[in-house]
Amino acid sequence: MDREVLKSEIKRLRSERNAVIMAHYYQIREIQEIADFVGDSLDLAQQAAKTDADVIVLCGVHFMAETAKIISPNKKVLIPDAGAGCSLAESCPAGEFEAFIKAHPDHTVISYVNTSAAVKALSDLVVTSSNALQIINSLPQDEKIIFGPDRNLGNYIKSLSGRDMLIWDGACHVHEQFSLQKILELKKQHPQAEIISHPECKQDLLKVSDFIGSTSAQVAYVQKAEAGEFIVATECGVLFEMSRKCPGKLFIPAPPDDDSKACNECTFMRMHNLEKLYRCLRDEQPEVLVEEQLRRQALRSIQRMLNISANLK
Ligand code: 13P
Ligand code: SF4
């Protein structure tokens, strides 16, 4: 189908189904352009809680669509490609995480939103990279914490908060692959450029970064920063929104170790495209479903995050 016809068919089906298209910043440009809403993990969860659409099409990875379904069980939640997983969520199987929790019974269990519903159901509280530090700082100082699954985000929060944290040994395949050496070489070529990184990056990269934050925090930062050039260490889809918001500034994707790639893409996020989005709206599938008892258990920790986050603002 011709691109323009495809886009107008997506728009027609969206209004026919009273659907909302939500996209994460790591989506391909065409999806970000057609989406009703683009944001980070926290933004997407908050939007899912307040939308009055009948159908949510979540152009992101599976845990994001699953979180939307947990929050809004009466809405139909669709994902253009059901195979869009997350290497970080997969690094934390629920059975092993449960055994870890049982071995440390006096700990509050905090899980990053990049987890399965089963892991969220085992957790006391969910956080995203946008609110992890604020939420952990809002807990009593002596509270012992289990944090999973991202070791880089966990260690970063631990170093800033000084909290007693046991950290699961998981990581994201995208954020662990940036080359510090190549980034420092780039910095020599662009001495005025600021290095901005996602907290899922390794500690050595975080140490040389001028700004560390979630995708939304990064987009907000580049708009208000005085600098005109940035080396961006996160999935390079976010550069689209940065360039859209700041047309006069230069955004350079941080290079990965792999010499065959100019920037780091998340294989899972990139599984969606306009054709799949069209078919998903047309056929109303793949649909994301969560078994009711599991949904209720997982909702507690997500709802607690949404409540705390609302009060933090
Ligand atoms: P954000 O919450 O910053 O969008 O991060 C989501 C993610 O998957 C990072 O890899
Ligand atoms: Fe998961 Fe990493 Fe992809 Fe984010 S970039 S969705 S953490 S695999």
Side-chain angles (χ1 to χ4, degrees):
M1 204 187 291
D2 172 83
R3 306 308 290 164
E4 292 314 310
V5 177
L6 194 55
K7 286 180 199 169
S8 66
E9 278 299 288
I10 290 171
K11 288 175 187 164
R12 182 182 64 79
L13 286 165
R14 168 171 60 190
S15 80
E16 232 173 74
R17 309 248 187 271
N18 188 27
V20 61
I21 301 173
M22 298 187 192
H24 188 268
Y25 289 122
Y26 296 165
Q27 289 302 294
I28 58 166
R29 178 193 186 113
E30 284 178 312
I31 288 188
Q32 291 194 49
E33 276 171 345
I34 208 160
D36 299 289
F37 181 82
V38 184
D40 74 355
S41 315
L42 179 63
D43 300 327
L44 294 172
Q46 287 168 333
Q47 283 296 318
K50 67 181 184 205
T51 180
D52 53 13
D54 295 319
V55 177
I56 297 173
V57 186
L58 205 308
C59 300
V61 287
H62 189 270
F63 76 80
M64 294 175 178
E66 192 174 59
T67 302
K69 183 67 185 177
I70 292 167
I71 295 170
S72 292
N74 298 326
K75 300 195 188 302
K76 186 173 267 193
V77 177
L78 305 172
I79 185 164
D81 189 320
C86 167
S87 59
L88 178 53
E90 276 158 30
S91 72
C92 189
E96 290 172 34
F97 195 55
E98 188 171 14
F100 185 59
I101 295 169
K102 283 198 175 132
H104 306 281
D106 53 345
H107 287 64
T108 297
V109 182
I110 301 188
S111 67
Y112 190 30
V113 71
N114 296 43
T115 45
S116 64
V119 167
K120 290 184 177 81
L122 294 167
S123 306
D124 298 303
L125 190 48
V126 166
V127 295
T128 77
S129 53
S130 273
N131 59 23
L133 181 63
Q134 281 175 297
I135 289 186
I136 287 176
N137 276 339
S138 76
L139 300 175
Q141 189 70 40
D142 58 350
E143 201 151 322
K144 291 182 184 165
I145 295 164
I146 284 179
F147 183 88
D150 191 72
R151 59 175 172 244
N152 296 319
L153 175 65
N155 281 315
Y156 172 65
I157 303 287
K158 184 177 177 173
S159 70
L160 292 181
S161 65
R163 298 302 174 113
D164 181 346
M165 287 169 71
L166 285 175
I167 299 165
W168 186 260
D169 195 19
C172 153
H173 76 300
V174 176
H175 289 88
E176 285 238 313
Q177 278 173 16
F178 287 112
S179 163
L180 180 62
Q181 195 198 333
K182 289 185 194 170
I183 290 171
L184 294 176
E185 279 163 21
L186 256 181
K187 174 81 179 166
K188 277 190 200 148
Q189 292 161 29
H190 298 268
Q192 308 301 327
E194 289 192 2
I195 300 174
I196 59 175
S197 305
H198 196 279
E200 287 173 23
C201 295
K202 288 185 191 165
Q203 301 299 299
D204 54 1
L205 173 50
L206 296 183
K207 274 192 191 136
V208 300
S209 298
D210 298 287
F211 179 76
I212 299 163
S214 73
T215 49
S216 276
Q218 292 184 14
V219 170
Y221 177 75
V222 298
Q223 289 176 79
K224 66 170 200 278
E226 279 182 15
E229 295 180 16
F230 303 87
I231 298 167
V232 184
T234 191
E235 213 273 6
C236 49
V238 75
L239 269 67
F240 174 62
E241 182 69 5
M242 290 176 175
S243 306
R244 185 153 73 166
K245 291 260 166 65
C246 309
K249 295 191 177 184
L250 177 68
F251 300 101
I252 308 161
D257 284 318
D258 184 343
D259 288 332
S260 67
K261 293 180 190 162
C263 77
N264 242 347
E265 292 180 351
C266 172
T267 340
F268 305 109
M269 286 280 185
R270 304 282 172 144
M271 284 179 163
H272 307 313
N273 56 36
L274 280 189
E275 286 80 5
K276 290 182 192 174
L277 174 56
Y278 162 70
R279 283 200 295 273
C280 166
L281 272 163
R282 184 192 64 190
D283 305 339
E284 297 201 54
Q285 55 177 300
E287 184 175 359
V288 176
L289 297 167
V290 184
E291 188 273 318
E292 185 54 17
Q293 198 189 344
L294 177 62
R295 188 194 71 78
R296 282 172 192 266
Q297 282 168 352
L299 181 62
R300 285 178 302 122
S301 54
I302 298 171
Q303 194 59 57
R304 203 174 151 198
M305 168 187 78
L306 293 174
N307 295 346
I308 298 177
S309 261
N311 290 329
L312 286 173
K313 284 192 174 160

